[in-house]
Amino acid sequence: MNQLLSNWYHCFNLIIGTNYAFVRPLQTTVPSPAPSLQLVWQTQSHSNDSWSALPSLFQSQRRTIDDKYHALTIYGLPNYKVAHFPYMADFYIDAQTITAHVSPHQDPNLIESTFLKDIMAMWLETQLYIVLHASSVLIDKYAVGFIAQSGQGKTSLAASFVQANYPLVTDDMLALQITTNQTNTLPGYQWMRVNDEQITQFIGSKAQLEPVMANHPKKIAPVGSGWGQMATNYPQLACLYLPERVHADIPIKITPLSAREALISLVTHSFAANAMHAFDLVDSRFQRLNHLIKQVPVRKLQYPHGWHHLPHVRTAIIDDVYNLARG
């Protein structure tokens, strides 16, 4: 066992050994002689960027605040890939190890958030999981997912279920393991990212929560330590819903998507789909998505805007899941 790996965490069915102590409330676990992933965290004032002269494998459309660089560029070397975030960090990625060279001049919470979302999503995809921009909860023995970009209601829906004593599978980042006969969800981080209105509605206005990072409007709400509970197994995914809040007094409506519409929605709401070009995984990922939509229905969920409607939306989803299980 690497003696430098002094901190051990469990998430997404992985055992992660690292020399870095996360600020976020990750589930800790006992040391393992064979971790799923080793994370080596090093602070460096200057990037060792000899690889930057190589042709890039991927460049994000998003750019740095000063517009000088792409926010993310990926380079390929014989035994690993380098994910370069200017002014912040370089992550050296291979099948079993991620080495982070982080800047001492950047907000540590921002770097930690970048690793836990962007880098972990990429690494999970290289392990042949599918990672969606989605929240998920457990209804009886089945998981359901809410896939949407920020602001479309997925966190509020998930928090409504958590408040009603349904376990949280994950918030914001849903990892899926697709097998021959079914798709399983992997419980993620033990928190939800919530805004002030959601805190008041679901947790309590007096809750003292840490911000996601400096000047960020959302806060980290730990799940399982005073509020809500986490799923502890790897439940089968029963359905994926695309929430659509409507500013009108409409009835709650759940409608199935065609295979083509479902595939487009999954690609649109993937965490790292474009970056998979750098890992030569685009074709195999497309095949896995096709297999996913044959196993799991994808449905549009339309419902009226307003907190008071959420219990009725919750009931409609529960009824739909039980109907799917029966039929």
Side-chain angles (χ1 to χ4, degrees):
M1 187 188 304
N2 188 335
Q3 298 300 314
L4 296 178
L5 306 181
S6 54
N7 301 286
W8 295 84
Y9 301 98
H10 183 266
C11 58
F12 298 115
N13 198 26
L14 304 172
I15 295 176
I16 302 175
T18 176
N19 63 330
Y20 178 72
F22 281 93
V23 176
R24 306 291 168 84
L26 293 181
Q27 180 182 349
T28 57
T29 189
V30 297
S32 167
S36 314
L37 173 64
Q38 296 184 62
L39 170 63
V40 180
W41 200 272
Q42 301 174 348
T43 300
Q44 295 192 351
S45 298
H46 301 286
S47 174
N48 179 18
D49 59 355
S50 57
W51 33 260
S52 64
L54 298 172
S56 63
L57 301 178
F58 169 78
Q59 292 180 321
S60 65
Q61 292 185 348
R62 187 165 55 91
R63 299 183 67 84
T64 55
I65 294 176
D66 59 13
D67 202 34
K68 288 184 177 180
Y69 307 103
H70 296 275
L72 166 63
T73 301
I74 300 176
Y75 300 91
L77 286 91
N79 298 317
Y80 55 87
K81 302 291 192 295
V82 181
H84 172 55
F85 293 84
Y87 309 130
M88 182 176 17
D90 300 320
F91 296 91
Y92 296 75
I93 304 169
D94 66 25
Q96 295 181 310
T97 304
I98 297 176
T99 301
H101 292 175
V102 304
S103 168
H105 309 297
Q106 185 56 269
D107 179 4
N109 285 330
L110 175 59
I111 301 175
E112 186 173 300
S113 178
T114 299
F115 169 78
L116 291 172
K117 292 180 64 177
D118 301 271
I119 297 302
M120 279 302 298
M122 278 189 272
W123 189 85
L124 285 164
E125 289 272 359
T126 67
Q127 306 303 300
L128 304 184
Y129 298 103
I130 291 292
V131 183
L132 300 176
H133 197 196
S135 297
S136 176
V137 296
L138 188 62
I139 299 174
D140 197 359
K141 61 180 180 179
Y142 297 105
V144 298
F146 309 115
I147 55 177
Q149 301 297 336
S150 297
Q152 295 303 309
K154 67 182 184 301
T155 296
S156 291
L157 281 170
S160 172
F161 274 94
V162 172
Q163 185 188 41
N165 296 318
Y166 290 87
L168 178 73
V169 176
T170 191
D171 177 47
D172 201 48
M173 181 173 155
L174 174 60
L176 302 174
Q177 182 180 44
I178 303 169
T179 65
T180 302
N181 299 317
Q182 67 184 43
T183 297
N184 292 332
T185 59
L186 305 182
Y189 308 127
Q190 294 183 295
W191 68 75
M192 300 189 73
R193 291 158 45 108
V194 290
N195 60 34
D196 288 340
E197 285 186 291
Q198 292 164 336
I199 293 170
T200 300
Q201 182 67 30
F202 301 116
I203 304 173
S205 58
K206 295 182 179 180
Q208 300 297 313
L209 304 178
E210 295 295 324
V212 171
M213 63 190 72
N215 302 316
H216 197 284
K218 288 194 172 184
K219 296 180 174 65
I220 296 291
V223 176
S225 55
W227 179 70
Q229 58 183 315
M230 289 293 300
T232 56
N233 56 3
Y234 309 99
Q236 180 179 351
L237 183 65
C239 190
L240 288 168
Y241 296 95
L242 275 77
E244 181 184 341
R245 287 185 297 199
V246 179
H247 289 270
D249 189 14
I250 63 165
I252 299 165
K253 186 176 182 182
I254 298 175
T255 53
L257 298 186
S258 68
R260 180 177 180 275
E261 291 170 327
L263 185 60
I264 291 172
S265 295
L266 296 185
V267 172
T268 300
H269 298 97
S270 291
F271 245 102
N274 292 331
M276 288 304 98
H277 289 278
F279 297 88
D280 296 323
L281 289 173
V282 173
D283 291 342
S284 66
R285 187 178 196 277
F286 188 78
Q287 293 171 7
R288 281 178 282 130
L289 285 175
N290 269 311
H291 198 62
L292 170 60
I293 62 175
K294 291 176 182 177
Q295 294 182 348
V296 179
V298 182
R299 302 189 168 194
K300 179 185 286 187
L301 168 65
Q302 292 179 301
Y303 62 99
H305 188 276
W307 302 116
H308 61 287
H309 291 295
L310 288 179
H312 305 292
V313 179
R314 201 167 59 233
T315 299
I317 293 168
I318 293 168
D319 290 344
D320 190 52
V321 169
Y322 286 145
N323 287 334
L324 286 170
R326 286 194 292 265

